[in-house]
Amino acid sequence: MTYRVCFVCTGNICRSPIAEAVFHARVADAGLDGLVEADSAGTGGWHEGEGADPRTVAVLTEHDYGLDHTARQFQQSWFSRLDLVVALDAGHLRALRRLAPTERDAAKVRLLRSYDPAAEGGDLDVPDPYYGGQDGFEECLEMVEAASTGLLAAVREQVEGRAA
């Protein structure tokens, strides 16, 4: 049974596509292709149908990550098919938990940086780089990479638990 993860930010053109691309690479490196699927979405539909922001594509390309992406808005009905919904900041976390149809679904929503043991205690947000320069996209990538190791370990534990 495939373990399904969805990364969610605001418009699905910056942070969540970066997280999706990095996590895809981690899953492939770990030999979990076919056992773990990941995609991304936005809390809003402002950019639906568009590709990722060119700065997102540039930072991913520069760091050898691939991405085939079309923005979309997260739908409440998706909770039933997802195992984990990963929010990129506290605002997304609250919006997704409000959207969840059940307490069980709300419990599927976690902050990405909660998987990074080095993250500062109170602030687990990945800042939105959209209104800034390329350095914000670099910072976003660094935060996503740092959290992806712990996220992969948690997902691997869940996948192996299913196989047992």
Side-chain angles (χ1 to χ4, degrees):
M1 182 173 214
T2 303
Y3 190 91
R4 291 180 172 81
V5 180
C6 185
F7 296 93
V8 182
C9 69
T10 304
N12 192 217
I13 60 170
C14 298
R15 292 174 283 179
S16 58
I18 289 173
E20 177 186 352
V22 170
F23 195 65
H24 273 292
R26 296 291 192 274
V27 165
D29 291 347
L32 296 174
D33 278 338
L35 297 174
V36 178
E37 290 180 2
D39 58 19
S40 64
T43 56
W46 307 279
H47 299 285
E48 265 188 311
E50 297 176 18
D53 185 289
R55 297 166 295 178
T56 298
V57 174
V59 77
L60 290 172
T61 300
E62 181 180 329
H63 293 274
D64 297 321
Y65 292 106
L67 179 67
D68 180 19
H69 179 75
T70 303
R72 61 200 185 131
Q73 184 174 3
F74 189 89
Q75 301 298 312
Q76 183 181 49
S77 62
W78 297 357
F79 276 106
S80 64
R81 67 173 176 82
L82 293 169
D83 297 289
L84 182 62
V85 181
V86 182
L88 276 287
D89 73 26
H92 307 132
L93 179 82
R94 287 188 300 275
L96 290 162
R97 285 189 173 160
R98 279 192 306 268
L99 186 64
T102 68
E103 287 297 320
R104 184 170 181 246
D105 289 325
K108 295 177 183 181
V109 184
R110 297 280 311 269
L111 277 170
L112 176 65
R113 292 194 68 217
S114 69
Y115 293 98
D116 180 0
E120 295 297 318
D123 186 9
L124 296 178
D125 288 356
V126 175
D128 187 351
Y130 184 75
Y131 293 103
Q134 192 65 28
D135 58 333
F137 287 80
E138 290 285 344
E139 179 186 22
C140 177
L141 177 63
E142 289 171 13
M143 290 179 169
V144 166
E145 288 177 329
S148 290
T149 301
L151 174 58
L152 181 64
V155 168
R156 181 191 297 271
E157 186 177 301
Q158 292 296 312
V159 169
E160 289 173 354
R162 287 181 175 185

